[in-house]
Structure formats: C-alpha cells, structure tokens
Amino acid sequence: MRRTLGFILILSTMLLSRSTVFAQQTPTPTKMNFDEDWKFSLGHAADPEKDFNYKIANLFAKSGKAEKTAIDPKFDDKNWRGLSVPHDWAVELPFTKSANVDVLAHGYKPVGGLFPETSIGWYRKHFNIAKADSGHRIQIQFDGIFRDAQIWINGFYLGNHQSGYLGVNYDLTDYLNFGGENVLVVRADATQYEGWFYEGAGIYRHVWLNHFDNTHIVPDGVFVHAEVNPVNAAVRIETVVENLGLTDQKVSVLNYITDRNGKKIAAGISQPLNLAVNGRTTATQTIELNNPRLWSLEDPYLYKVVTVISVDQKKVDSVTTRYGIRTITIDASKGLFLNGKHVKIQGTNNHQDHAGLGSALPDALQYYRISLLKEMGSNAYRTSHHAPTPELLDACDSLGMLVMDEQRLLNSSPEYMNQFEQLIKRDRNHPSIFMWSIGNEEGLIQTTSIGKRIAQTLIAKQKELDPYRTSTYAADLANVATGVNEVIPVRAFNYRQFAVADYHRDHPNQPLIGTEMGSTVTTRGIYEKDSIAGYVPDQDITAPWWASKAETWWSLAAENPFWMGGFIWTGFDYRGEPTPYEWPNINSHFGVMDVCGFPKNIYYYYQSWWTDKDILHLSPHWNWKGKEGTPVDVWVNTNADRVELFLNGKSLGKKEMPRNSHLKWSVPYQPGTLSAVAYKKGKKITASVQTTGTSYAIRVTPVKNTILADGKDLAIVNITVVDQKGREVPDASNLVEFTVSGNVKIIGVGNGDPSSHEPDQYLAGGWKRHLFNGKCQVILQSGKDQGTVKFEAVSKGLTTGSAKINVQ
C-alpha cells in the first residue's frame, strides 16, 4: 500500500544547520523517503559515559528533558559519521572468533551481549518543516530497526520498539518546530538477539516521513479482497478512516480501480461517513470488475485500487494499493491450485542478508534475488523466520512468486499478538502471499496444551484479520498430531520427509506441506571435503543427520499428490549458522546458491526438475593437474531422456535418465574436453567442460549496464578470470582490486567463500576481493547525476577488465 505521491517537493541542504529542509508547504498526502542525511555513532552498552550519558541523565524526569545526552537537539554531532539508511553496522565489523554458540550462529560478528562496545548504535537526523504544514499530521515510519529501538523527537520520548523485523510509526505532530529545525534520534540496542542466524544491526530498512490530513486513512487501513467467478470479480475494499481533528467531520470514501498503467476501468459510489473527534470507522465497498486479468506465476498482473477520502468535497487523503486478482484453493489430497491450475510448491527458505551488504539490502537487490530463484524454477518463498521487508513482497508480487509469510515467535502475549496483527495488516494485500505461518520449531511448547492454546489464539486472530487465507506452523516433528498440530489447518514438516506419507494416512483430511526440506550442505567449486578450511563437496552427497539430500525429499514430494510441495533449506547461503563446521566458517553451506547468488551444482538438480528448460549440466570442472589417471566422479544433471558422455571425443557410454534423479560416471582424469550429448523428446542437447590454461584476463560482467540516477539503484557486477582462449578459469583465486569513476559508488563486495574473513566493506576506500573458485561480486550504487561511469577490475599479472555503466 502506497500513499499517492503526485507532488513536487523541493529539498535542499542547509550547511549551517545540517538539516534536510522542506522549502515549501508539503502537499498532503505524501509518503516521503527519509533515508538520507543521517548521522551515526556507536555507543556502549556497558559504559554510560561512552554511550553519550544514556542511563546517567535523568531523561524521564520532565517531558523533553534530554540535556547532556545525544538525545538533546543541541548536541554537537558534527564528528559523527554521515550516511544514508538502510544501514547495517554489523556487516562493517571484523569477524571475531568466539566459543559462544550464539556468536557462532550469528556469523562471528561482535554484536550481542558479549560485545558492549559494538552493540549500540545511535542515529540522528536534522530536518526542517515549513510553518504552513502545522495543520497536518506528520508521522515518522521506520520499516525495520534491529533492534530494541528507543526513539525521540526534539528531546521528547516517542517510545520503545522491540521487534527487529516489524516496523513502527509515531505521530510527530505535537513535538515539531514548524519553520525551525527538528532532530530525530534513534538508539538501537542489538545486545539481545532474536534469531539464531545473522541479523545485522541498525536502521536496516527504509524510513519514511508521512504527511496527511487530520482526517485520513489509518496506516495499513485498506484491505482489498476479490471473489472471482469465471466472468468477473467482486472486489471488496475495506477502508479504516479516523478523525484526529478538533471537530466532527462529514467524510466521503470513494474507491476506483485502474489497470497497471493508471487507466480507470471501474469505480464505486461515494460513501458518506460521520466521524466524531478521535472517531474511527470502517467503510466497505464492492466494485464489479468484468473479465479480470488474473495474477499468476507466469503473468503477475497487478491492478491499482485507489481509495480517496474527501471532506466538504475536497480530497484530503488517498491510498493506492497494488492488487492482483487470483484464487487459491488447497485440497488435502491434490495439493494447491492457483486460479484453478494445480501448482506444486517448489519453494526456498531464505534469510535476508546478501554478500557485501549484510541485512541492509537496497530494493533492486530484492528483485535480483527473486529473479535468480525464478530462473532456477522456484515458485515460492518462505520468509524464514520473521516478517520480511515490504520491498521483498513487492518483488514477489511483480515477478510472480508465491510467499509463505511467517510470524517470528509462537507467542500470544500482547507484544507478539501486536506483531502478528501488524504483520497481517501490513501484508495481506499482497497477492503473492498464499499462506501465513504462525511460527517455527518451538520445541519447548509445540506438543503441549500451552502450544495448542497459543496456536488457537493466533489462528483466531489470523481468521479475523484475513479470513481468505489459511495458516500453518513449521513443525520439526514426524507423525505427531498433539499440541499445535491438533489445531493447525495445514500440517507442515521441517525435514521428517519419510513421515509425511504416514501422517497423511492417519490424517487424510489435513493438507500437508514441507516447510523445510533438503538441507544438503555444499561449497561452490569444492570437490573434496576439507575440515580445516571448512569446505564440503559441491554435490548432493552431504546432509546433516536431521536433514536429507535434495534428491531424497524431492523424489517423495514430486511423486505424491497429497504433498503440496515444499521449501528447501535454503535458496541462498546466509551469514551465521555455519554447518557442518564452525570457525573458520562464518556462514552456512545450505544454499543452492552462495551468498552472492552464484549457483552451486545442486542448483542444476532443481532446475532440471522444476523447469521445462533444456538442462544439461556437467560437474565438476576439468582442471585437475597432477591427478592424471585418477578416477573423478562426474555428475550429470539433466531433464533429458538419455545421455552419452565423452572424454576427448571417446564415448564413455550411454545412460537413461531416471526422473527426479541424476547420472554419474567414474572417469579417469585426462586433460582436454569432457562433453555430453543428451536427447530430450528427440531434441539433441550438448554441454561440455574443458581443461583451461592459466589465468590471463579479468572478465567484468554487469547484470545490467543502465541504472537509474536516483541514488538507490544498483549495478551488480560479477567478476571472473579467463585464459588466453577466453575460457573461464574455475579454480582462480586472484586478488582483484576495484575502482569506479563518476557518480557511482561501491557499497559491497563478496565471493561466496564461507570461510573468507575479508571485509565486505572498505569504508575508507581501497576496495578489493579474492576470487573464490573463479568468482567474486561487486555491488555498485548509483548517484543522482546522469552520465556514463567506468568500472575497472585490476589484478597483478592479468589484463584489466572494465565496463561502462550508464546512469540515467
């Protein structure tokens, strides 16, 4: 849901006051990005003096009392670091070896209770607002702060927000200096973890400044749902309106629908309401839409539902909701149907970090990551194990990816009920969401009567707020139906794949889905176990005791219609939770892609059976100097019918391809060309790997060469090395240095090595990274000036690689 912009906002920077200035009255309603021009400094959890006197000063003795602290509007922050959010200060910190299990699980970053000197972050922002805006409501909106955030405006305390994964809004109106400077202050306390994986630290999602009339639509106050039949859709729109003015108001609510380009195609009738002072009410309207274009995985078409609030025939508020019309049906015997078409869930679990950036992901990276998953054949995404950033859901809506949206904890206390309610209200208009999850692996209570009662409370709330979807709970249990599983509508399995059939036999009327499946551990480009460096072979052969190989679970899910499908653990490697090794590992091995999004070999197993593309992939690479004559296990992943393998033109035999499986040959190594010829329904497909020469030149491959001059867009640049014949060298490990000219900056680097302790960010410049098995990645972010910039990658003894990026 987005507030309609439709305004011209003039921004400037006053050097003397260091303030963002609204140089003219800001028209309402607006939702203005508030990410730029923040000041940042680390505090100290154990030393109040180093924490800018926090916990020394008597802050709560009087309203607005903030002297001698960083909360004071007059505090001198000129020596603080200037930055824009989203910002994750944890990713900037060095890796720290620790025996503590939670530090290990969080990727060995010095954040948490054991690291008081690097676990508190202070943010300050100066801004001005025109006097003419004094009749408006002005609200600050934080989409995500990790975590335990204390927030002040002009020394006045606004509140404490605990969740690191759901945002918070505060009305600033009463405390603002209209026509003068204002100072917003945030203290983020990351000494307490929420999860058991890398979580980051700081204001790591967007911040917005919202202007609206005293009579307005409440935040997340529009709920859209469509009842669909073969010829039309009845689009039901519920709008919550409130009056925070000082007099009663007569209000009218009008809704209309446009196509994706903004052309009005259907409208309702203006609905009158009477609102008392501080009154709040819900207006409900239904609009008939003939022959709707349905949202689907292949055609994720989005309409726009526009809701307009007027007082005395003057528009005072408007909200535009992107909405996809579609139907979801779940059958206990046959699985899931989208718009009446059967869909097997081919999903991935993912945390929210990426190489080089930690958890502070620009919007463009959300779209990039979802596009990589779709290319593999994935059609669903589980937000494990917390509320996602809104932009991730926007990407799934736009690109066609189903979503299971998950609550952080199975808890019905006021704190967590508020989080659950906020999650559903915020996200329920997204067509990508097909199911809610009320929690994950709550081993202490999941089989108890306490767990059952908590689940019932959460399920009742879900049905109240969104009666059109259902819910599940991710249970690490076999054929067990006590506690949460007695009452949950959809039974979900984390692993325990061999118990699914037994459970279906005993509970034939309960739909089943795999919420965590697989968990093969692999290291991209590695083919021998190395417990010292912390690497495992890049094939589907190694899984923890509690998990399974990819082929094991998918063969079961694919062949049994009562399985709705499942979500593999995971789509991407992620920071923290290193498995099966600990230090020097600092991230997981679970992904079918590494932390940069470079595919591992298991990627091609899933792509073979999750798509209709012509897939024929050989592994490993064919650079094995010194192993001449030694047998090498060659894997072939394909969805062809049969394959013939060749070494230097000599046939090594033909094999039929078993469905949902792979083929393997043992081949005595000889340098040259390993090739395969496959036939798929009579169509010939070929693939090969070659022994390469030594590294000769750097190859620079931008994912896109043109980016927007908006200060936010990205150019993701992948780096490889080639030999003199232009063949990519798969085992190259060169150190590569990066420079970029013009109005573009490097914001992160990575290479997918789960044991690399190189910095992800070089705040003082001098950006560089070693290749890991032939690859590394650089993330560039645009400035606001148009032009062409040059990116260069340099390594000693190699020909320099370069690329031009157009910023427009």
Side-chain angles (χ1 to χ4, degrees):
M1 184 173 68
R2 293 183 174 84
R3 293 194 174 269
T4 303
L5 295 178
F7 70 97
I8 299 174
L9 185 64
I10 300 175
L11 295 177
S12 63
T13 301
M14 293 183 61
L15 297 179
L16 292 179
S17 66
R18 308 177 310 283
S19 300
T20 298
V21 179
F22 306 153
Q24 62 182 31
Q25 179 181 354
T26 306
T28 57
T30 65
K31 181 177 181 179
M32 190 190 75
N33 185 274
F34 219 47
D35 288 348
E36 298 180 358
D37 300 322
W38 288 82
K39 290 282 193 171
F40 171 76
S41 178
L42 289 173
H44 202 296
D47 188 335
E49 291 185 357
K50 293 181 179 179
D51 202 27
F52 306 104
N53 291 327
Y54 185 76
K55 295 185 178 178
I56 294 178
N58 190 0
L59 296 173
F60 299 102
K62 298 290 183 181
S63 292
K65 180 174 169 52
E67 294 89 347
K68 299 180 180 179
T69 70
I71 303 161
D72 189 343
K74 298 185 294 295
F75 176 84
D76 186 359
D77 58 19
K78 66 182 179 183
N79 292 324
W80 285 23
R81 174 181 156 203
L83 52 75
S84 294
V85 301
H87 171 240
D88 176 0
W89 85 70
V91 75
E92 302 169 358
L93 300 175
F95 298 99
T96 301
K97 186 177 181 180
S98 172
N100 181 273
V101 65
D102 286 313
V103 177
L104 174 157
H106 284 77
Y108 292 104
K109 286 292 186 176
V111 172
L114 296 175
F115 307 98
E117 69 280 6
T118 49
S119 296
I120 303 293
W122 287 85
Y123 296 85
R124 287 170 55 89
K125 183 175 174 69
H126 301 253
F127 62 100
N128 284 33
I129 295 183
K131 287 184 178 180
D133 282 330
S134 61
H136 302 156
R137 309 306 302 185
I138 298 178
Q139 177 196 73
I140 192 70
Q141 173 185 330
F142 294 95
D143 282 350
I145 306 170
F146 197 88
R147 68 174 295 277
D148 192 7
Q150 307 278 1
I151 303 167
W152 295 264
I153 181 71
N154 295 332
F156 289 90
Y157 183 63
L158 295 173
N160 169 232
H161 185 63
Q162 289 287 322
S163 173
Y165 296 105
L166 280 161
V168 65
N169 305 327
Y170 293 107
D171 193 322
L172 306 182
T173 310
D174 291 350
Y175 313 105
L176 293 173
N177 297 316
F178 291 95
E181 184 177 77
N182 300 275
V183 181
L184 181 66
V185 180
V186 177
R187 180 183 185 268
D189 183 344
T191 56
Q192 179 64 56
Y193 304 126
E194 284 195 59
W196 51 96
F197 38 83
Y198 180 87
E199 299 177 278
I203 305 177
Y204 74 103
R205 293 180 181 173
H206 290 306
V207 182
W208 309 91
L209 194 69
N210 301 324
H211 290 233
F212 43 84
D213 194 85
N214 286 315
T215 304
H216 57 268
I217 303 165
V218 304
D220 300 322
V222 175
F223 180 28
V224 185
H225 174 71
E227 295 289 346
V228 184
N229 63 41
V231 295
N232 63 24
V235 182
R236 175 186 171 96
I237 305 144
E238 300 176 19
T239 308
V240 182
V241 185
E242 70 177 353
N243 172 25
L244 298 182
L246 301 178
T247 60
D248 296 350
Q249 295 291 334
K250 293 184 177 180
V251 182
S252 64
V253 181
L254 174 67
N255 292 284
Y256 61 90
I257 300 173
T258 78
D259 64 14
R260 62 166 44 147
N261 297 316
K263 179 183 177 181
K264 186 185 293 188
I265 55 176
I269 299 173
S270 181
Q271 181 176 351
L273 298 172
N274 293 318
L275 281 177
V277 175
N278 290 329
R280 176 180 286 199
T281 191
T282 300
T284 301
Q285 190 168 72
T286 299
I287 300 175
E288 295 291 330
L289 189 63
N290 294 324
N291 299 312
R293 184 171 170 180
L294 300 184
W295 183 94
S296 67
L297 300 174
E298 301 79 18
D299 181 24
Y301 189 86
L302 296 169
Y303 291 94
K304 296 177 182 177
V305 177
V306 182
T307 306
V308 180
I309 307 300
S310 299
V311 174
D312 297 329
Q313 298 184 335
K314 176 185 176 182
K315 185 177 81 170
V316 297
D317 201 0
S318 177
V319 166
T320 298
T321 305
R322 295 197 316 164
Y323 184 71
I325 297 173
R326 52 96 180 116
T327 64
I328 294 286
T329 304
I330 296 174
D331 184 277
S333 299
K334 299 178 182 178
L336 182 140
F337 294 82
L338 175 60
N339 303 325
K341 176 183 176 182
H342 181 259
V343 174
K344 195 76 155 184
I345 294 298
Q346 298 168 176
T348 67
N349 288 275
N350 294 285
H351 291 312
Q352 60 179 351
D353 60 285
H354 189 88
L357 302 178
S359 293
L361 270 58
D363 298 351
L365 199 55
Q366 305 289 355
Y367 287 80
Y368 178 65
R369 285 163 62 91
I370 295 301
S371 67
L372 291 177
L373 292 170
K374 279 190 69 79
E375 178 68 19
M376 183 183 72
S378 179
N379 59 20
Y381 187 110
R382 176 174 171 235
T383 65
S384 47
H385 305 287
H386 52 74
T389 187
E391 290 73 30
L392 170 72
L393 299 178
D394 289 343
C396 292
D397 289 345
S398 297
L399 298 178
M401 177 74 72
L402 294 170
V403 175
M404 178 182 286
D405 205 347
E406 187 158 276
Q407 167 79 336
R408 172 72 281 274
L409 283 177
L410 184 77
N411 193 323
S412 56
S413 69
E415 169 67 27
Y416 288 99
M417 286 301 293
N418 177 66
Q419 290 186 22
F420 191 49
E421 181 170 344
Q422 186 181 347
L423 173 72
I424 294 177
K425 286 184 175 180
R426 188 197 70 170
D427 294 349
R428 61 189 176 178
N429 290 324
H430 289 278
S432 56
I433 296 174
F434 76 101
M435 189 180 298
W436 304 101
S437 170
I438 65 171
N440 173 77
E441 293 188 7
E442 295 282 359
L444 296 177
I445 59 171
Q446 63 184 349
T447 60
T448 68
S449 60
I450 293 174
K452 176 182 176 180
R453 293 194 298 271
I454 293 172
Q456 287 174 315
T457 301
L458 290 168
I459 293 166
K461 178 59 68 173
Q462 180 256 300
K463 290 180 178 178
E464 171 197 340
L465 299 175
D466 182 11
Y468 309 108
R469 294 182 180 90
T470 190
S471 60
T472 189
Y473 162 76
D476 53 336
L477 296 168
N479 190 5
V480 177
T482 57
V484 178
N485 289 332
E486 290 182 59
V487 295
I488 199 69
V490 176
R491 172 66 154 95
F493 290 83
N494 282 8
Y495 317 106
R496 314 300 191 272
Q497 63 278 350
F498 295 116
V500 177
D502 291 342
Y503 191 92
H504 175 67
R505 178 198 64 213
D506 297 339
H507 308 86
N509 297 320
Q510 189 176 19
L512 308 177
I513 191 168
T515 34
E516 289 179 27
M517 291 286 125
S519 283
T520 304
V521 285
T522 59
T523 309
R524 179 182 57 78
I526 295 293
Y527 295 96
E528 294 180 349
K529 178 180 177 180
D530 187 339
S531 59
I532 302 301
Y535 300 143
V536 283
D538 191 9
Q539 302 290 13
D540 187 19
I541 59 176
T542 309
W545 65 267
W546 38 263
S548 77
K549 296 181 291 185
E551 197 167 311
T552 301
W553 88 270
W554 180 247
S555 295
L556 293 169
E559 296 166 5
N560 289 291
F562 56 82
W563 272 57
M564 202 181 305
F567 297 85
I568 58 175
W569 191 267
T570 53
F572 299 89
D573 278 346
Y574 56 92
R575 296 169 181 274
E577 206 171 26
T579 308
Y581 306 114
E582 299 179 2
W583 186 271
N585 277 182
I586 46 82
N587 68 248
S588 80
H589 293 78
F590 292 117
V592 295
M593 290 177 275
D594 67 20
V595 291
C596 297
F598 296 133
K600 305 179 189 179
N601 286 317
I602 200 171
Y603 172 102
Y604 299 99
Y605 170 78
Y606 285 113
Q607 192 179 47
S608 295
W609 306 115
W610 285 6
T611 75
D612 292 325
K613 299 174 184 177
D614 295 336
I615 305 301
L616 178 59
H617 177 75
L618 307 182
S619 60
H621 59 71
W622 212 237
N623 282 13
W624 300 104
K625 185 177 180 180
K627 292 191 176 183
E628 287 77 6
T630 302
V632 175
D633 284 341
V634 174
W635 287 52
V636 178
N637 287 116
T638 184
N639 50 15
D641 303 315
R642 62 187 180 277
V643 179
E644 185 172 7
L645 192 68
F646 298 85
L647 178 59
N648 295 327
K650 180 180 178 181
S651 176
L652 302 178
K654 299 178 182 178
K655 294 187 179 183
E656 298 295 315
M657 182 68 226
R659 185 154 184 82
N660 298 315
S661 187
H662 72 282
L663 296 175
K664 189 165 68 172
W665 278 261
S666 180
V667 181
Y669 175 68
Q670 291 296 330
T673 301
L674 183 72
S675 61
V677 176
Y679 290 90
K680 180 182 177 185
K681 298 178 181 178
K683 180 180 179 181
K684 183 179 179 180
I685 310 168
T686 62
S688 65
V689 291
Q690 293 183 330
T691 307
T692 71
T694 58
S695 299
Y696 175 75
I698 301 172
R699 177 177 289 168
V700 173
T701 308
V703 173
K704 58 182 180 180
N705 291 93
T706 300
I707 58 177
L708 299 175
D710 60 1
K712 297 181 181 298
D713 202 8
L714 300 183
I716 298 163
V717 181
N718 294 326
I719 310 295
T720 56
V721 168
V722 297
D723 66 7
Q724 283 189 299
K725 293 183 178 181
R727 300 172 299 190
E728 186 174 314
V729 181
D731 51 356
S733 59
N734 308 72
L735 176 64
V736 187
E737 300 181 11
F738 312 108
T739 58
V740 62
S741 63
N743 192 33
V744 165
K745 61 182 179 180
I746 302 173
I747 61 172
V749 292
N751 63 8
D753 181 355
S755 296
S756 174
H757 299 165
E758 294 178 280
D760 291 275
Q761 298 182 358
Y762 292 81
L763 301 181
W767 291 83
K768 56 190 174 182
R769 193 72 166 191
H770 281 90
L771 298 168
F772 177 63
N773 291 321
K775 298 180 185 294
C776 69
Q777 185 175 84
V778 184
I779 301 174
L780 309 178
Q781 189 166 52
S782 68
K784 295 186 177 180
D785 295 331
Q786 296 186 358
T788 300
V789 303
K790 185 177 182 180
F791 170 82
E792 284 194 335
V794 178
S795 184
K796 185 177 180 180
L798 302 182
T799 300
T800 297
S802 65
K804 291 184 178 179
I805 307 294
N806 299 311
V807 185
Q808 62 184 34

